[in-house]
Amino acid sequence: MSSELDFDYLSKLYQTDPEKFEELRAKEIEALIESASSKSQTRLRGLQFQIDAQREIHKNSSLGACIAISKMMHESFEELRFHLNEAANIKDPLNHQPLQYEAGASVDASSAKVLQFSR
């Protein structure tokens, strides 16, 4: 991966030459994947495929793509948290169920439990 890349350079490149930016982005991603172990490369290629699919689905909305990819990261983190708690034999405060975040899901305020704290 190139150490000379910085946000200002990439931002300007994206604004002035989006095709060159995408070419550089793909090259840098491939270099990073290639630098990983062969076992990790398979997983990384799968993740990159999913990210690229989300970017394609939301090609008309950068924010939509960002939200979808963020959702993927949150779900992956939640699954990791669940398994770490399970391995450490820690009772899961979420009733041993990995969370599945739903875009636009509403929260039922009547289901909240208010806890009293002593002063």
Side-chain angles (χ1 to χ4, degrees):
M1 190 163 177
S2 180
S3 62
E4 62 200 45
L5 297 178
D6 65 49
F7 178 80
D8 292 332
Y9 169 74
L10 293 174
S11 178
K12 188 171 185 173
L13 181 62
Y14 181 78
Q15 292 170 2
T16 59
D17 193 348
E19 288 178 13
K20 187 173 179 183
F21 171 83
E22 286 301 320
E23 183 181 307
L24 178 61
R25 184 188 68 81
K27 180 181 152 201
E28 291 294 322
I29 290 169
E30 184 58 30
L32 181 63
I33 292 173
E34 286 290 326
S35 72
S37 69
S38 60
K39 181 181 175 185
S40 294
Q41 284 183 23
T42 302
R43 178 71 176 133
L44 291 171
R45 288 190 198 290
L47 286 171
Q48 189 58 47
F49 175 83
Q50 291 178 31
I51 290 168
D52 290 341
Q54 289 300 324
R55 292 181 74 228
E56 181 61 26
I57 289 168
H58 300 281
K59 63 184 168 193
N60 295 327
S61 170
S62 297
L63 182 58
C66 182
I67 290 169
I69 294 166
S70 176
K71 178 184 173 205
M72 287 172 44
M73 291 189 304
H74 281 276
E75 288 173 352
S76 180
F77 179 78
E78 181 58 29
E79 186 176 348
L80 174 62
R81 184 202 59 78
F82 168 77
H83 289 295
L84 288 173
N85 283 345
E86 187 176 56
N89 201 23
I90 296 172
K91 177 157 175 30
D92 193 311
L94 302 173
N95 300 322
H96 297 285
Q97 296 298 318
L99 286 178
Q100 293 295 317
Y101 294 99
E102 295 296 326
S106 62
V107 176
D108 181 10
S110 65
S111 68
K113 180 177 180 180
V114 177
L115 301 175
Q116 287 289 350
F117 292 97
S118 59
R119 291 182 182 233

